[in-house]
Amino acid sequence: MVAAGRHHNGRMAKSMIDGQWQQFVSYGTRTGKLATTRADGSPHVVPVCFLLDGDDVLFNTGKTSVKGRNLARDGRAVLCVDDENPPYAFVTLRGRATITEDLPEMRRWAIRIAERYMGPDLAEAYGARNAVPGELLVRLTVEKVVGHTGISD
């Protein structure tokens, strides 16, 4: 489910369809900007390294980090991935997070995430570093997708 948007000049941005948004967010080493809600209701946004598993988003975080605490309390989150170069594009993924501390599963995903962002030579080392007690594996189950390309066209 992807929504259309209208430019200030009246032209329409192109909406991404299923398949396009997954390819866009998985391209290269784009990070996502993860928005969660603090206990007082204020927003918290941080960049995260992530991978897709089907349409789910997976990433690691510390159990005591602000995002880790926010997600444990309220699993709602939004991830925005964008291309900062003309003609600009973005995808926002809204959903609910589930958290696991299962170390073998966390390590498997941490290695795969590290391979994307750090390369195959460093993947094992970063995976081992990010899959220890006190870390979390977060799975964001996407409920709504909004994606647009050609923003400045």
Side-chain angles (χ1 to χ4, degrees):
M1 145 183 337
V2 179
R6 187 170 296 279
H7 292 301
H8 68 280
N9 61 12
R11 293 192 304 226
M12 295 293 287
K14 291 183 183 177
S15 294
M16 290 188 202
I17 60 172
D18 204 36
Q20 288 179 315
W21 73 262
Q22 293 93 334
Q23 184 177 3
F24 176 83
V25 303
S26 298
Y27 180 79
T29 57
R30 288 184 179 141
T31 59
K33 287 71 172 177
L34 182 76
T36 60
T37 305
R38 295 175 188 263
D40 68 3
S42 64
H44 178 257
V45 178
V46 292
V48 294
C49 297
F50 69 94
L51 279 178
L52 288 184
D53 181 22
D55 291 347
D56 291 351
V57 177
L58 285 103
F59 60 92
N60 297 100
T61 190
K63 189 174 187 174
T64 61
S65 70
V66 174
K67 68 182 170 290
R69 293 190 321 265
N70 289 348
L71 291 169
R73 190 193 68 264
D74 180 345
R76 295 176 299 167
V78 176
L79 186 77
C80 179
V81 181
D82 66 331
D83 181 354
E84 299 174 353
N85 299 300
Y88 308 107
F90 74 91
V91 171
T92 58
L93 306 169
R94 186 179 73 200
R96 292 200 174 265
T98 54
I99 297 169
T100 183
E101 295 181 65
D102 178 78
L103 291 176
E105 183 180 5
M106 190 184 316
R107 184 179 177 108
R108 181 171 66 92
W109 284 103
I111 289 169
R112 291 183 62 195
I113 293 166
E115 186 171 3
R116 176 181 182 186
Y117 291 92
M118 302 306 296
D121 293 344
L122 299 174
E124 287 286 334
Y126 275 87
R129 184 188 85 176
N130 292 329
V132 295
E135 293 293 310
L136 304 171
L137 175 64
V138 179
R139 177 179 290 271
L140 182 66
T141 301
V142 175
E143 298 168 348
K144 181 169 183 172
V145 177
V146 176
H148 297 290
T149 63
I151 304 299
S152 66
D153 287 344

